Amino acid sequence: MSESDGANIRLSITIVLIGIVIYIIFSFSEECCNDNWILLDEKGLKKDLTQKLFGQHIASDVILKAVVGTLRGPVPKKPLTLSLHGTSGTGKTFVSQLIAKNLYKNGMSSQYVHVFVSTLHFPHLKLIHQYQNDLQTWIRGNVTICPRSMFIFDEMDKMHPGLINAIKPFLDYTTQVNNVDYRQAIFIFLSNTGGDKINEFTLGVLMNGMERESIKLNQLEEELSLMVFNNENNGFWQTCLIQANLIDYFIPFLPLEFKHVMRCVKAELESRGIINNNILFTITSQMEYYPKEEKVFSMKGCKTVPSKVNLVVN
Ligand SMILES: *[C@@H]1O[C@H](CO)[C@@H](O)[C@H](O)[C@H]1NC(C)=O
């Protein structure tokens, strides 16, 4: 072996090594559809659901089981579809964020997480055909790029039936639609549908001197499905998706009580480095509660907490 052969070999090895290093750096900095970027943090999700979500014993339990069960097991027969129900401020959006945070390294800012808000993204009735096409193209396109994509649909109860029909084929048991496999995708639907019924039921339970924690999922499921089949409250989308058995889990969010709002306020204050029981109590008391007499539940849940904190703290 001549001296120049040795030099060549060293040069080649160096180039290969540099290539490997560049590849490693690149694959860690650019989000990809692989386990480096998408991996369920089971412990993290459990911790978040028990420590950051307040007053939702059913939701935390069902969501943990649903998400862990689906993502840890073998590839499911259909995409995971969760339908979250409850009045505003009870934590539906927050829970979707917790799921995203513990599944995607980039959380909600991951390019594989897509949020659609009916009134924001699909506001004009006359553009419905355009929206249908767009939505189908986007779902297909994004799942083609990454099978483990997540789609969150907010304000489902305000969604045009035509759009619901556009989503429907993707949720079904067919393993492939036009050569794209949707089984690893996750669909989360948020709505107020059934919220009033859930609140009524919860009020009844509390008025009977029982704990909200005594409420079982099947009690509320019964209420919800009754309502769906009576087609109240823009229940169309549910009728459409439920009758076809496309929703895997119905997840009720209970109305929040004073003590839960207090925990939201406390968390918000702490995130700003403020620990002050006076302020905590003042803000919590300033939220509005109903029914008029009993003042049991917060009208807006925890939704307006950050702005209330802003007002008082500044
Ligand atoms: C993915 O979805 C987004 C909307 O969230 C859309 O703008 C984009 O065009 C889609 N990508 C593909 C490849 O279809």
Side-chain angles (χ1 to χ4, degrees), residues 103-135:
L103 179 55
Y104 301 89
K105 204 179 222 174
N106 287 354
M108 288 300 283
S109 32
S110 164
Q111 54 178 321
Y112 308 123
V113 176
H114 308 273
V115 180
F116 303 101
V117 182
S118 300
T119 51
L120 190 71
H121 294 97
F122 316 112
H124 304 297
L125 197 59
K126 61 173 192 281
L127 293 181
I128 195 76
H129 287 296
Q130 173 79 48
Y131 295 152
Q132 282 178 310
N133 277 334
D134 286 351
L135 194 52

Side-chain angles (χ1 to χ4, degrees), residues 273-290:
I274 302 168
I275 297 171
N276 180 322
N277 282 337
N278 267 336
I279 298 182
L280 173 60
F281 194 78
T282 309
I283 296 178
T284 312
S285 313
Q286 279 176 0
M287 305 287 288
E288 289 175 79
Y289 297 87
Y290 73 96

Side-chain angles (χ1 to χ4, degrees), residues 100-197:
K101 173 183 162 227
N102 288 290
L103 179 55
Y104 301 89
K105 204 179 222 174
N106 287 354
M108 288 300 283
S109 32
S110 164
Q111 54 178 321
Y112 308 123
V113 176
H114 308 273
V115 180
F116 303 101
V117 182
S118 300
T119 51
L120 190 71
H121 294 97
F122 316 112
H124 304 297
L125 197 59
K126 61 173 192 281
L127 293 181
I128 195 76
H129 287 296
Q130 173 79 48
Y131 295 152
Q132 282 178 310
N133 277 334
D134 286 351
L135 194 52
Q136 291 197 322
T137 313
W138 291 344
I139 295 178
R140 191 181 313 122
N142 282 296
V143 174
T144 307
I145 295 171
C146 187
R148 183 72 85 208
S149 288
M150 185 160 127
F151 302 91
I152 301 171
F153 291 88
D154 200 353
E155 299 184 348
M156 241 353 236
D157 36 340
K158 299 195 185 82
M159 184 111 145
H160 189 279
L163 282 174
I164 292 159
N165 280 328
I167 309 174
K168 224 175 136 181
F170 301 109
L171 310 180
D172 219 335
Y173 281 88
T174 44
T175 40
Q176 297 201 333
V177 186
N178 297 328
N179 289 326
V180 182
D181 186 345
Y182 294 91
R183 291 175 303 166
Q184 289 189 60
I186 298 170
F187 291 85
I188 302 182
F189 302 109
L190 316 184
S191 74
N192 295 333
T193 314
D196 293 339
K197 275 269 186 300

Side-chain angles (χ1 to χ4, degrees), residues 35-287:
D35 284 358
N36 284 333
W37 296 91
I38 309 176
L39 190 65
L40 179 65
D41 177 359
E42 198 177 318
K43 279 204 189 110
L45 182 62
K46 187 170 185 181
K47 192 164 166 234
D48 281 350
L49 287 172
T50 44
Q51 296 179 3
K52 293 188 179 160
L53 178 70
F54 306 130
Q56 306 298 353
H57 67 285
I58 299 177
S60 8
D61 190 46
V62 179
I63 288 172
L64 188 68
K65 282 184 190 145
V67 172
V68 171
T70 310
L71 271 68
R72 278 284 141 89
V75 176
K77 293 197 175 66
K78 67 184 280 307
L80 175 64
T81 50
L82 307 175
S83 185
L84 317 190
H85 301 256
T87 43
S88 103
T90 47
K92 304 183 298 290
T93 307
F94 184 58
V95 156
S96 330
Q97 291 164 352
L98 293 182
I99 298 174
K101 173 183 162 227
N102 288 290
L103 179 55
Y104 301 89
K105 204 179 222 174
N106 287 354
M108 288 300 283
S109 32
S110 164
Q111 54 178 321
Y112 308 123
V113 176
H114 308 273
V115 180
F116 303 101
V117 182
S118 300
T119 51
L120 190 71
H121 294 97
F122 316 112
H124 304 297
L125 197 59
K126 61 173 192 281
L127 293 181
I128 195 76
H129 287 296
Q130 173 79 48
Y131 295 152
Q132 282 178 310
N133 277 334
D134 286 351
L135 194 52
Q136 291 197 322
T137 313
W138 291 344
I139 295 178
R140 191 181 313 122
N142 282 296
V143 174
T144 307
I145 295 171
C146 187
R148 183 72 85 208
S149 288
M150 185 160 127
F151 302 91
I152 301 171
F153 291 88
D154 200 353
E155 299 184 348
M156 241 353 236
D157 36 340
K158 299 195 185 82
M159 184 111 145
H160 189 279
L163 282 174
I164 292 159
N165 280 328
I167 309 174
K168 224 175 136 181
F170 301 109
L171 310 180
D172 219 335
Y173 281 88
T174 44
T175 40
Q176 297 201 333
V177 186
N178 297 328
N179 289 326
V180 182
D181 186 345
Y182 294 91
R183 291 175 303 166
Q184 289 189 60
I186 298 170
F187 291 85
I188 302 182
F189 302 109
L190 316 184
S191 74
N192 295 333
T193 314
D196 293 339
K197 275 269 186 300
I198 296 170
N199 295 359
E200 230 172 80
F201 187 87
T202 312
L203 186 64
V205 168
L206 295 185
M207 290 297 148
N208 278 324
M210 289 179 293
E211 296 283 323
R212 67 197 275 127
E213 284 76 16
S214 71
I215 300 176
K216 298 270 185 303
L217 175 64
N218 58 12
Q219 294 174 290
L220 288 169
E221 267 180 339
E222 221 164 273
E223 294 281 314
L224 283 176
S225 60
L226 274 179
M227 190 193 63
V228 169
F229 290 111
N230 293 334
N231 225 338
E232 289 172 38
N233 263 6
N234 293 323
F236 171 82
W237 70 276
Q238 290 188 298
T239 318
C240 175
L241 300 182
I242 293 168
Q243 284 184 343
N245 275 324
L246 297 179
I247 303 284
D248 299 317
Y249 299 91
F250 284 97
I251 303 170
F253 281 69
L254 308 183
L256 298 184
E257 299 165 52
F258 188 88
K259 60 184 179 194
H260 306 115
V261 177
M262 184 126 102
R263 292 178 70 187
C264 294
V265 176
K266 187 157 184 257
E268 183 68 30
L269 286 172
E270 278 173 3
S271 76
R272 302 173 191 218
I274 302 168
I275 297 171
N276 180 322
N277 282 337
N278 267 336
I279 298 182
L280 173 60
F281 194 78
T282 309
I283 296 178
T284 312
S285 313
Q286 279 176 0
M287 305 287 288

